[in-house]
């Protein structure tokens, strides 16, 4: 197939429908500074391997699998670099300062501190509203482990939020 | 069920991913365990925070993407015949790819949209089964709904809701929310029936069958209106057209109560007053 060099209008439509959704996941996995580059890599992969996609109902999980894999590869490459870029600016830990953050910012900060594996499963559930079976398909792990991962993600996230000054 | 087992199942319970017997066991445990109830409450708050996360917009890099994807020029194929054949083949393949992508994208878009609504309603219906009163604001919290009086609802919705024109005898209004969901903007009116039993009434645009996922449903006729009945845990839901919009009633205990509620709005309110 020549999807990667195929009809530009169709590619444009696919890009328009999926781009922001991919970008917001990538942004929360690798940080703002690298989100655009990694999103571009995701779409190169998508268009180059579109012929491998089979089954309409799995397009979403296929797209997220490519996105998450690309993010994890990027994180590993970045980890090997001598200097590590911060995903988010450090937060002043003073409780009064923390209180002044609005909840959106507080949540972004907490997500950035959550372990990447737990962050992935939390984002796929709470932001992308995937079912457990879809998350299992994206991450290629057993469906039975999703609940316990989400338990850990939610408890860890709650601890981080409290540490940042969140009052449950 | 002991606390350790229940704690391991809390996320699956909260997300509506447990089988009915397991969900009932966890629900039973929650009634007796303040610690686990608090944990579920924290999950709910995290869910609300996640729903408030800003929608981040990335740059449009499609032009650069196209440049990168351009195939290198092919050398040595210069005759007109080959070139023409190649153009036709490319056009045919492009057309096929276009159809594939368009159908994929539209299917995916529809699937995503209906799946998100089903997940939200699963959460609402799960909470409703446990306690209709505590479920009143579940959807409102997910979609940043607005608590309103019925007069305020009329101003926002630009039509007079059916529940504002009257309630069936024996029912009172407990609360109302205008909720902008991805599928439609709707009014959720929470009623109290006999012995304080909760009933949720949604007035919305368009038929919304994906709210109830794969739950057993039958199509019937109620007061002359085609009506879909959906089986819930311990109650039923019914949805039918009422004027230019649809009414979905959640929580009637049996068909008699469906008939009473739907009948009231369809027969007594709709004909002379609804659009």
């Amino acid at each position: 197939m020549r999807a990667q060099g195929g009809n530009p209008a169709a590619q444009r439509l696919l890009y328009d429908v999926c781009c922001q959704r991919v970008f917001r996941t990538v942004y929360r996995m690798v940080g703002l500074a690298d989100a655009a580059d990694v999103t571009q890599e995701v779409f190169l992969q998508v268009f180059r391997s579109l012929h491998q996609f089979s089954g309409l109902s799995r397009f979403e999980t296929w797209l997220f699998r490519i996105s998450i894999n690309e993010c994890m590869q990027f994180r590993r490459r970045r980890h090997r670099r001598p200097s590590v870029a911060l995903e988010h600016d450090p937060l002043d830990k003073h409780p009064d300062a923390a209180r002044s953050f609005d909840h959106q910012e507080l949540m972004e900060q907490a997500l950035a501190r959550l372990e990447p594996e737990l962050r992935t499963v939390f984002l796929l559930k709470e932001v992308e509203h995937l079912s457990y079976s879809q998350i299992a398909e994206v991450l290629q792990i057993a469906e039975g482990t999703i609940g316990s991962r989400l338990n850990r993600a939610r408890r860890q996230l709650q601890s981080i939020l409290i540490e940042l000054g969140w009052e449950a | 069920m002991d606390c350790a087992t229940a704690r391991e199942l809390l996320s699956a319970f909260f997300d509506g991913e447990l089988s009915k017997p397991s969900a009932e066991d966890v629900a039973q445990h929650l009634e007796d365990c303040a610690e686990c109830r608090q944990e579920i409450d924290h999950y709910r708050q995290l869910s609300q925070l996640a729903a408030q996360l800003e929608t981040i917009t990335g740059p449009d890099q499609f032009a650069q993407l196209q440049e990168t994807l351009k195939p290198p020029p092919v050398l040595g194929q210069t005759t007109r015949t080959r070139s023409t054949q190649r153009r036709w083949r490319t056009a045919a393949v492009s057309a096929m790819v276009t159809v594939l992508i368009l159908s994929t994208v539209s299917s995916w878009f529809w699937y995503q949209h209906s799946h998100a609504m089903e997940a939200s309603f699963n959460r609402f219906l799960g909470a409703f089964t446990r306690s209709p009163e505590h479920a009143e604001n579940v959807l409102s919290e997910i979609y940043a709904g607005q608590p309103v009086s019925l007069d305020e609802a009329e101003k926002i919705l630009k039509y007079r809701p059916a529940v504002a024109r009257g309630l069936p005898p024996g029912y009172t209004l407990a609360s109302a929310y205008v909720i902008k969901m991805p599928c439609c903007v709707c009014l959720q009116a929470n009623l109290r029936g006999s012995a304080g039993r909760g009933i949720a009434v949604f007035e919305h645009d368009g038929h919304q069958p994906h709210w109830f996922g794969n739950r057993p449903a039958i199509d019937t006729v109620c007061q002359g209106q085609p009506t879909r009945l959906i089986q819930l845990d311990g109650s039923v839901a019914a949805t039918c057209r009422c004027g230019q919009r649809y009414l979905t009633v959640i929580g009637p205990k049996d068909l008699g109560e469906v008939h009473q509620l739907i009948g009231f709005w369809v027969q007594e309110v709709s004909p002379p007053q609804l659009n």
Side-chain angles (χ1 to χ4, degrees):
Chain A
M1 296 289 282
R2 298 182 183 180
Q4 66 269 42
N7 187 304
Q11 288 188 340
R12 174 86 235 187
L13 179 60
L14 184 65
Y15 182 84
D16 285 346
V17 170
C18 308
C19 174
Q20 296 308 333
R21 205 157 175 230
V22 169
F23 181 83
R24 74 182 178 208
T25 301
V26 169
Y27 159 74
R28 293 192 173 107
M29 290 305 298
V30 304
L32 183 59
D34 299 301
D37 287 347
V38 176
T39 300
Q40 192 76 334
E41 283 301 316
V42 169
F43 277 98
L44 283 171
Q45 290 270 346
V46 167
F47 286 132
R48 282 173 177 156
S49 55
L50 195 58
H51 64 284
Q52 291 171 6
F53 163 63
S54 60
L56 297 179
S57 64
R58 296 193 172 189
F59 181 76
E60 185 182 29
T61 50
W62 182 74
L63 179 66
F64 276 120
R65 185 155 68 235
I66 291 175
S67 305
I68 298 297
N69 286 345
E70 196 58 45
C71 289
M72 290 306 189
Q73 279 178 25
F74 176 83
R75 290 182 65 88
R76 280 193 288 273
R77 284 198 300 272
R78 185 169 62 183
H79 193 64
R80 287 198 288 268
R81 285 185 214 155
S83 64
V84 178
L86 281 171
E87 287 172 17
H88 286 81
D89 295 332
L91 177 70
D92 185 343
K93 276 195 169 183
H94 190 275
D96 292 336
R99 265 197 289 276
S100 70
F101 274 83
D102 79 2
H103 283 170
Q104 281 180 3
E105 180 59 23
L106 203 63
M107 189 64 165
E108 295 285 8
Q109 295 281 349
L111 278 171
R113 293 183 185 197
L114 191 62
E115 285 175 30
E117 285 76 14
L118 300 183
R119 196 188 318 169
T120 306
V121 78
F122 183 84
L123 289 173
L124 291 176
K125 180 68 227 167
E126 289 287 3
V127 179
E128 303 304 334
H129 304 294
L130 299 196
S131 67
Y132 282 19
S133 63
Q134 289 173 312
I135 296 172
E137 203 177 314
V138 171
L139 302 180
Q140 298 187 297
I141 57 175
E143 188 178 336
T145 62
I146 303 298
S148 55
R149 276 203 195 192
L150 271 167
N151 283 339
R152 282 169 52 212
R154 284 166 166 151
R155 285 165 195 158
Q156 199 179 105
L157 193 58
Q158 185 194 333
S159 302
I160 297 169
L161 279 164
I162 290 170
E163 197 181 304
L164 293 173
W166 181 57
E167 289 167 1
Chain B
M1 179 177 283
D2 62 65
C3 205
T5 310
R7 277 177 68 79
E8 190 56 28
L9 297 174
L10 282 184
S11 272
F13 174 78
F14 177 72
D15 294 320
E17 294 270 356
L18 284 183
S19 65
K20 193 179 170 190
S22 299
E24 284 171 355
D25 287 346
V26 176
Q28 181 71 41
H29 173 78
L30 287 174
E31 284 182 14
D32 304 327
C33 180
E35 202 176 327
C36 286
R37 276 203 307 276
Q38 189 181 34
E39 181 96 2
I40 285 281
D41 194 46
H42 287 153
Y43 289 0
R44 189 171 296 115
Q45 291 177 46
L46 288 177
S47 199
Q48 287 163 14
L49 283 178
Q52 289 169 22
L53 283 173
E54 191 182 357
T55 305
I56 300 130
T57 308
D60 184 345
Q61 304 177 104
F62 185 74
Q64 298 96 300
L65 192 66
Q66 285 289 86
E67 280 301 309
T68 313
L69 285 169
K70 258 186 194 167
V74 179
L75 300 175
Q77 291 184 333
T78 54
T79 67
R80 174 174 288 203
T81 309
R82 279 193 175 183
S83 173
T84 306
Q85 282 176 348
R86 197 165 61 243
R87 276 205 297 275
W88 275 107
R89 207 181 304 128
T90 302
V93 170
S94 293
M96 285 165 58
V97 170
T98 304
V99 170
L100 173 68
I101 290 176
L102 287 175
S103 62
T104 298
V105 168
S106 60
S107 298
W108 177 61
F109 207 61
W110 178 87
Y111 176 82
Q112 165 59 26
H113 163 81
S114 57
H115 179 75
M117 290 306 307
E118 185 186 336
S120 301
F121 265 77
N122 272 340
R123 191 170 288 179
F124 165 70
L125 293 170
F128 189 91
T129 301
R130 293 190 292 279
S131 164
E133 292 72 32
H134 290 124
E136 283 179 1
N137 58 352
V138 167
L139 287 169
S140 172
E141 284 176 352
I142 295 172
Y143 294 111
Q146 184 180 348
V148 290
S149 67
L150 294 179
D151 288 337
E152 289 168 338
E154 184 177 355
K155 283 180 191 156
I156 296 168
L157 296 168
K158 309 271 193 295
Y159 64 81
R160 186 140 182 83
V163 291
R165 300 175 183 206
L167 296 176
Y171 293 87
T172 55
L173 180 72
S175 62
Y177 297 88
V178 170
I179 306 173
K180 292 180 182 174
M181 297 192 281
C183 60
C184 57
V185 179
C186 78
L187 175 74
Q188 179 188 347
N190 300 299
L191 310 186
R192 295 279 186 280
S194 57
R197 221 165 40 80
I199 299 283
V201 182
F202 292 84
E203 186 161 358
H204 51 92
D205 295 321
H207 187 32
Q208 307 291 350
H210 48 272
W211 286 0
F212 298 99
N214 294 324
R215 286 177 175 78
I218 56 165
D219 292 317
T220 183
V221 175
C222 179
Q223 298 285 7
Q225 285 288 348
T227 301
R228 173 164 288 195
L229 295 172
I230 302 100
Q231 185 182 321
L232 305 176
D233 290 339
S235 66
V236 293
T239 185
C240 77
R241 197 175 178 94
C242 191
Q244 289 189 342
R245 286 165 290 279
Y246 282 77
L247 281 182
T248 296
V249 181
I250 291 170
K253 62 183 182 304
D254 53 30
L255 295 184
E257 193 172 15
V258 169
H259 193 78
Q260 183 191 2
L261 291 163
I262 294 283
F264 176 82
W265 284 301
V266 169
Q267 288 296 320
E268 298 188 30
V269 178
S270 298
Q273 297 181 54
L274 280 183
N275 295 328

